[in-house]
Each structure stands twice: as structure tokens, then as C-alpha cells.
Amino acid sequence: MLLVAALAQVPANATNDQVERGPVPGWVVPSELLPVPEDASGMLFVRRQDVLVHLDARGQAQYIGYRTRILHSNALQLGNISISWKPVSGPPVVHMIKLHRGAETIDVLEKASFEILRREDQLEAAQLDGVLTAVLRIPDLRVGDEIEVGLTTRADDPTLAKNDSGLLFIVDSPPPGRTRLGLSWDEGFKPRIRMTPEMTAAARAGASGIDFPFDNPAIKTAAKDAPPRFQWQRVVEYSDFADWSAVSRHFAPLFAKAAQIPDGSPLKAEARRIAAAHTRPLDRAAAALKLVQQDVRYIYVGLGAGNLTPASAEESWQRRYGDCKGKTALLLGLLAELGIEAEPVLVNNQGADDGLDARLANPALFDHILVRARIDGTTYWLDGTLPPVAVPTTDPVIAYRWVLPLSAKGSAIEQRGWKPAATPDEITLYEIDARAGFDVPAQVTNTTITRGIAGLQQQAQLSSVTSDQLLAGMRQQIVGSTWQSVDEVKWRYDQKAGASILTIRGSWDVDWDKDSRFGRSYSLPGGGFNPPAKRVRPPDQDQGLPYYAKPEFDCRVTTVRLPSGTDPAHWTHKSGFDTHIFGMNYYRAFDVRDGSVRMVRGRRVDSPEIDAASARQDNGRIAAFDNSMAWIFYSPNGGASPNPDRKVVPATYDIDWTADRVPCLSPAAISRAAAR
């Protein structure tokens, strides 16, 4: 169980793949043991833990050493010791594994040994990373025992030359005990270093290193609901790169070389075929992108120096598989043959790029690369790892905050401007045909329109499913609650709309409430809003930090075809509303006409961050938030007064809901967002 962690560059280049034994490196000075207090409680107590990184001419070595007392049976899992490494960087060295029981010390390695479980533990996830995993299980481990471990692994990547970088950090909730982080270097290999305030206060600097000792480090959780960049708390960054432009300059030649297509290559014939079939540059780029997406399957390749070095376009085409680096190089080569200006761009797909401009330049903070092209004066993004329905777009599918273009002269990190989504991420349509009467199951058509990554994931999942399989699966999944029957299921992906569209038709037993002998009411599906939660933090957290909401735009549209024989004048509905609170817009509108009740409900994040003062002000507005369900009412006795809140709302069947602009927000809400 690692109590602290070091994230270094990914290893590469060597041959031995066995676990070796050896003495503790000379640059390691283990911490002294901390006495176990008599009242020690919890799962374990750390008498000593060292996580030390050393930089030298080969790259960097990481030493992990600890002595930990087991206090609870749940902590016996610490007896399963696992080491993962890349054999190309050299074997891990195990310095000691000892078991201390009272006055007795047992050398575990005398009777137990490591077992290499498998050579490719990520093969099922289409990853060839070359990482080996070795496991040793300490026999006869008991509560009260102390485990002492010391081991070293190396990270030597020729792709990075002499540029090392990484992080040292303490987790939010470490167990009690003594912990030390350390960064040291041989002469001439001191990196740039940046520390968060708590690490700066703890630092003890020497001529060739810095230590960060902690006794019983406090539990320190990130500020509640703060933007992701404030998650960085007890962190030490180190890097040999001068800045992000240096990273850009370093990697650009690798992709320029990999993208070159040699004379006589079949890829040149593919480029000529694309050029002959399409005259517009954008159509040519789309065809090249589809070729890379469809004819070259995705497999992550991290073998040898492949984790950071792209395979050549020719190699990826010949073997017909590649990772994001190989696919990007292949796409760049094809676009160059087609005369289209393009460049590779590093991005972070995990949403961890908030605040990257404040970090030391570290290539490991990016986890993906794609292509940015300039076509007819417009910038387009092309990702060869996406399904072949993903076309060039003016905005990437993921809303990256910071990106790093790779160029020979070196490009600076770029911030991408954010704006509220113009089109919902998901639209859910319900058409409830109750014309047969209140006491008869209604015929229902439910359509979901899903865009972005979620839509592409659904496309990848459903494109290989037959219509019969889809129908059977939906019947198995949803019949029995609201759905009484599922008669038809259709799915398609609309490339023009960039949306996955799933439609289910069947019957519902509509839950009409009886309000009187003849009166009825019904809460429309998808129409309610829960009131937002207060934005508050524990008193020990920074009250001045902004509050964050993940950007999203959701829309629900419900149409009820009214029971035959009922007078539309006898139908009314709950009030709609148009409210902006905590940077989010809440909108609901009703309409009764043409024999149906129509409702549209939208929720969009217009400002992903709001300042603390605004949050406190909006906390006082929650009580007035209308969190009612979307009720409709039928009252044949005396009729219903026309609702003054009536809006003109289209029915589910009135307009094309896959269009770029749909009425899921009020014009006033759209104007407010545009003004910001």
C-alpha cells in the first residue's frame, strides 16, 4: 500500500526482465524508525517510509522503502507485494523484504520469491505496454507484525534524452507515522523544481538534493467543489525542460520523421485515391481521417521506446494497428500528401488539464495526441482513435482547457476558450399517446439523442449489435416497470448531427392520479428539477476559492396526446420557470394546443466557475427555487383557466430535434450567456 507516490517518466530500453537482489543504493539514507505509540489505532502505523527519486546520466531511479506495523486484519493485504516495471529500463532491485515479530526478524526472501504473473496485463484493453508485474505473498503474516521493504526501479527513456520530469506527492489521507519524500541528483543533473506551499515549508535542501520529512502528516482534503486545479496540494514538481516550448521542440521532430511516407509506399496510392475521389480539401481530410480510424485498429503500443516515440506511418499502415501516436503520424503523412497543413497537438483526455499553465513542463501531464489542421481558413480537429463516424470538427470532441502544439520552433501551451454549449449533450424525447383514454396503456415513443464522447461510445457499442439483439436486450432491461411492452427499437448514428439516436416504441401504464371523480393529474417524465445544493465548505477549507460545476447541457421534451373526448380548455399545467443560479440556467415551459400538452425542460451550465461571493448570494436564493414536478391537470368541472405562463413549445414530432439549434432554453437565457 503506497502512502505517497511518485509519478515519473515511463521507462524504456534494457533487456533483463528478472527481479534482482542488491544492496540499498548509496544515495539512499533511510529515515529513522518512529516509535509505535501505545494507543496506535487504525489499520496500520508507518514506522518509516521513504519515497526517493534520484537523477543521473541514465535517467531516474525510484527507491521505495518502508517499515509498517499491521494493526488490523484488513491491513494484512500489505503482505501481497507487487512490483511493475518495464524490462527495457532494467530489472527492479529488491533490497530487502523482512518480517519483524517481537524480537524475531525473518528474511522473507530466503523462503519466498517473486512470481511474474503475465507479460501483458492490459492486452484485453488493447494495450501493448511491455510492463511486467511481479508478486510476492508474505507467508504467515499476522496482526502485530511489522513488514520492512526496500526496492528500486528505474525509468530510463531514450526518447527524452537527458530530460527527466515527474512528481512527488503525499496522498490526501495518509495513515499515521513517519513519511519522507526525497529528490536528489548527480552533479550536473539538478532539475527545475516547484513546490506547493506545504512542501516548501517542509523542504530541507542540501547540495545535491531536497528532503521532505513528515511525522504523522495531516489528512488534507481538497477544497469542496473547487475547480480541478486546486486539487494539487502537497506536490513537488521537477523537470529538466525549460518550458512548454522546449517540450514542443523536443517531440516535433519525432512526429515529423514518423509522418514521412517513402516513395513507393502503398500510402501514396491511398492519398492519390482520396484526391481523385474528392475535390474539396475538407472532404479529402475527412476521407483520410476515416481511413485511419477504420482501417487501422487501435492498440496502445508502449514496447521499447514506443511509449513516447510514434511508430512511422508506413509501419502503422503495414501492421494495420497503432495507438494515438502512430495514428497521428499516419494521418499527418496522408494530409501532407494531400497538401493540407496540419500539426500534432498534445492534449489531456482525463480532464486533468485545468491549471496546466501553472505547472512545470512535464510531458506526462498529457496523455493523448491528435491532429489540428487548417483547411480553407478554418481550424479543424481530427482524432484518428475515434470511431469512423467522427468527422473533422471545428471544436475537439472533448473540451480541452490547455493544449500543446508540437512544432520545430517550439510552441507555447495554448488555452482554449470556453463557451456554453449551443447544442445539448443529450436530448430525451417522450411522446405519450394517451388518445385511447385514461385507463388504457398509452403508446409511447422514447428517443434519446446523445452527442460528444458519450454518443461515440454508444455508437461503438451499438453499431455491432443486430436489430434483433437490440430489441431483445431492451425488452430484458426495461420491461416490467414503467414499460409494459417494447415493440420496436431503432438505433442510428447521424454524422451530420454528430449524434447517436436511440428510439424505443412500446406501451406504458400511465400513472394518472385521480383528483376528483373525473379529474386527473400526471407528473410528466423528465420535467422536474431538484433544487441545487448549497455551495458551502468545511470551516478549515479556503472559503475564498471559486466553486466549480462540470459543464453540461441536458434537455428533456415531453408531449402528451390528450385522451380523446377531453376538451383542451379543461387542461392546464404547473408553472414554468427560467432561473439562473450558481452559474446554471434552469428552464421549463409548457404549451397546450393541437390536442396535446407540450413541455420542454433544459439545464445548462453557463459558467463552470463562480466566485465565492456569488455562491453565498445564490445560497440565499435556494429557498425560492421552484423544485416542483412537471404536473399537468385535467379538470372537466368548470374548466381550467388559461395559464399566463404559456409559451409556444414544439411537440416532439413538430421539429427536427437533431438540429444544431433547438428551443431547450429561453431566448433570455441565451442572451444572458452570450453577454457573459
Side-chain angles (χ1 to χ4, degrees):
M1 178 187 231
L2 286 182
L3 314 181
V4 296
L7 171 64
Q9 64 191 43
V10 181
N13 255 354
T15 57
N16 195 344
D17 63 0
Q18 303 301 313
V19 177
E20 295 185 352
R21 295 196 65 176
V24 175
W27 48 269
V28 172
V29 180
S31 300
E32 296 180 358
L33 293 177
L34 189 68
V36 180
E38 294 183 2
D39 60 348
S41 61
M43 289 183 60
L44 51 88
F45 181 83
V46 180
R47 297 195 67 186
R48 178 190 71 226
Q49 179 177 231
D50 298 295
V51 176
L52 312 173
V53 171
H54 184 74
L55 309 178
D56 56 27
R58 284 185 55 191
Q60 52 186 311
Q62 176 179 285
Y63 171 84
I64 297 177
Y66 57 89
R67 180 164 168 171
T68 302
R69 174 167 291 188
I70 306 295
L71 302 178
H72 193 281
S73 59
N74 288 347
L76 291 172
Q77 61 182 324
L78 290 181
N80 301 326
I81 298 174
S82 176
I83 310 174
S84 295
W85 78 100
K86 273 198 168 185
V88 289
S89 289
V93 179
V94 178
H95 311 297
M96 72 188 81
I97 300 180
K98 296 179 181 180
L99 190 62
H100 301 276
R101 180 176 296 150
E104 182 183 11
T105 297
I106 302 168
D107 188 344
V108 175
L109 292 173
E110 287 185 354
K111 295 184 178 180
S113 60
F114 281 91
E115 173 189 359
I116 298 178
L117 297 181
R118 52 189 179 271
R119 299 192 63 88
E120 287 299 341
D121 63 346
Q122 295 295 317
L123 192 59
E124 301 85 354
Q127 296 187 23
L128 298 172
D129 56 16
V131 173
L132 300 186
T133 301
V135 173
L136 181 146
R137 303 168 184 85
I138 298 177
D140 193 30
L141 183 63
R142 309 172 190 176
V143 173
D145 289 348
E146 293 186 14
I147 302 173
E148 186 174 15
V149 173
L151 57 92
T152 298
T153 56
R154 290 204 64 93
D156 311 320
D157 195 324
T159 303
L160 292 174
K162 296 183 179 181
N163 296 297
D164 292 307
S165 57
L167 308 174
L168 289 166
F169 59 90
I170 296 180
V171 297
D172 291 347
S173 301
R178 171 164 289 166
T179 292
R180 178 173 67 118
L181 303 183
L183 177 65
S184 61
W185 50 83
D186 285 354
E187 186 176 353
F189 292 93
K190 181 179 180 179
R192 290 169 176 79
I193 301 172
R194 183 174 295 170
M195 298 170 272
T196 53
E198 190 167 342
M199 303 305 281
T200 300
R204 295 180 180 177
S208 59
I210 306 178
D211 279 350
F212 304 89
F214 290 88
D215 280 356
N216 300 311
I219 294 175
K220 188 172 184 179
T221 56
K224 183 181 178 183
D225 296 328
R229 62 185 177 276
F230 294 104
Q231 302 293 320
W232 287 56
Q233 299 189 91
R234 294 178 286 199
V235 182
V236 177
E237 304 174 68
Y238 58 94
S239 178
D240 289 328
F241 288 101
D243 51 29
W244 287 111
S245 294
V247 175
S248 175
R249 273 193 308 274
H250 185 86
F251 285 96
L254 301 178
F255 284 88
K257 179 181 178 181
Q260 293 177 1
I261 299 176
D263 292 337
S265 167
L267 283 171
K268 287 188 176 288
E270 290 292 338
R272 290 193 295 269
R273 179 186 60 79
I274 291 173
H278 305 279
T279 56
R280 296 174 60 225
L282 181 57
D283 294 336
R284 290 178 174 180
L289 174 61
K290 185 174 183 178
L291 181 71
V292 174
Q293 293 168 334
Q294 185 168 272
D295 288 16
V296 179
R297 72 186 186 277
Y298 178 84
I299 295 181
Y300 168 75
V301 182
L303 303 173
N307 183 66
L308 297 175
T309 301
S312 70
E314 183 72 7
E315 183 180 5
S316 295
W317 183 250
Q318 287 180 357
R319 63 191 185 188
R320 296 300 178 101
Y321 68 78
D323 55 16
C324 64
K325 303 181 302 294
K327 282 176 168 266
T328 291
L330 174 56
L331 183 53
L332 288 169
L334 288 170
L335 293 175
E337 291 291 320
L338 295 167
I340 296 174
E341 176 189 356
E343 62 184 346
V345 180
L346 289 173
V347 297
N348 187 293
N349 271 359
Q350 306 305 315
D353 56 353
D354 183 32
L356 268 188
D357 58 319
R359 310 283 174 241
L360 286 184
N362 179 353
L365 297 180
F366 291 107
D367 62 4
H368 187 54
I369 190 165
L370 40 66
V371 172
R372 185 168 65 180
R374 191 72 175 169
I375 304 172
D376 294 334
T378 301
T379 297
Y380 290 90
W381 297 79
L382 300 82
D383 191 337
T385 66
L386 295 178
V389 294
V391 298
T393 54
T394 54
D395 289 308
V397 176
I398 295 176
Y400 304 115
R401 296 175 177 87
W402 293 91
V403 302
L404 180 64
L406 304 184
S407 65
K409 66 179 181 179
S411 298
I413 192 171
E414 295 180 8
Q415 184 176 21
R416 296 196 66 255
W418 186 87
K419 57 185 178 182
T423 306
D425 306 309
E426 183 173 279
I427 302 177
T428 305
L429 306 171
Y430 297 98
E431 180 186 336
I432 303 172
D433 188 347
R435 287 177 291 186
F438 291 111
D439 300 321
V440 179
Q443 296 302 303
V444 175
T445 300
N446 172 214
T447 299
T448 56
I449 303 168
T450 309
R451 288 181 165 86
I453 286 294
L456 290 170
Q457 290 172 336
Q458 190 176 78
Q459 190 277 339
Q461 178 185 12
L462 298 182
S463 59
S464 60
V465 177
T466 68
S467 56
D468 288 343
Q469 289 172 330
L470 186 58
L471 177 61
M474 283 296 174
R475 284 174 170 169
Q476 179 72 16
Q477 181 178 346
I478 66 176
V479 169
S481 54
T482 302
W483 289 91
Q484 301 303 302
S485 69
V486 173
D487 305 319
E488 182 182 43
V489 180
K490 290 185 177 181
W491 172 84
R492 65 186 177 92
Y493 191 88
D494 188 322
Q495 277 191 285
K496 182 179 179 182
S500 176
I501 303 169
L502 178 66
T503 300
I504 305 171
R505 293 186 175 89
S507 63
W508 283 12
D509 189 5
V510 179
D511 188 18
W512 295 100
D513 286 352
K514 292 185 177 181
D515 297 332
S516 62
R517 183 179 179 184
F518 299 109
R520 297 289 189 275
S521 61
Y522 178 51
S523 175
L524 298 183
F529 278 122
N530 292 321
K534 274 190 174 183
R535 300 321 194 243
V536 293
R537 296 192 176 107
D540 61 331
Q541 295 182 357
D542 190 339
Q543 304 298 312
L545 295 181
Y547 285 83
Y548 174 78
K550 183 179 179 181
E552 61 181 352
F553 185 5
D554 173 73
C555 182
R556 314 284 177 87
V557 185
T558 302
T559 299
V560 179
R561 292 180 182 265
L562 303 177
S564 298
T566 63
D567 188 340
H570 295 164
W571 287 87
T572 188
H573 49 77
K574 195 69 177 177
S575 62
F577 56 91
D578 184 2
T579 301
H580 191 268
I581 185 172
F582 297 121
M584 307 176 199
N585 193 83
Y586 296 82
Y587 175 68
R588 186 173 69 196
F590 292 90
D591 192 4
V592 181
R593 59 186 171 88
D594 298 335
S596 64
V597 174
R598 298 106 175 279
M599 185 277 301
V600 62
R601 161 218 184 270
R603 176 182 178 274
R604 185 177 74 174
V605 172
D606 289 343
S607 303
E609 293 186 19
I610 59 170
D611 60 74
S614 297
R616 287 192 293 270
Q617 183 179 26
D618 283 349
N619 283 338
R621 299 173 56 216
I622 293 177
F625 185 89
D626 184 355
N627 65 331
S628 63
M629 304 298 287
W631 287 96
I632 60 173
F633 308 96
Y634 172 64
S635 179
N637 300 321
S641 301
N643 196 301
D645 195 44
R646 177 183 178 273
K647 302 286 193 303
V648 177
V649 176
T652 55
Y653 43 79
D654 279 347
I655 65 172
D656 179 9
W657 291 94
T658 68
D660 291 340
R661 295 290 188 272
V662 288
C664 290
L665 293 175
S666 70
I670 296 172
S671 298
R672 283 197 302 267
R676 279 188 296 274

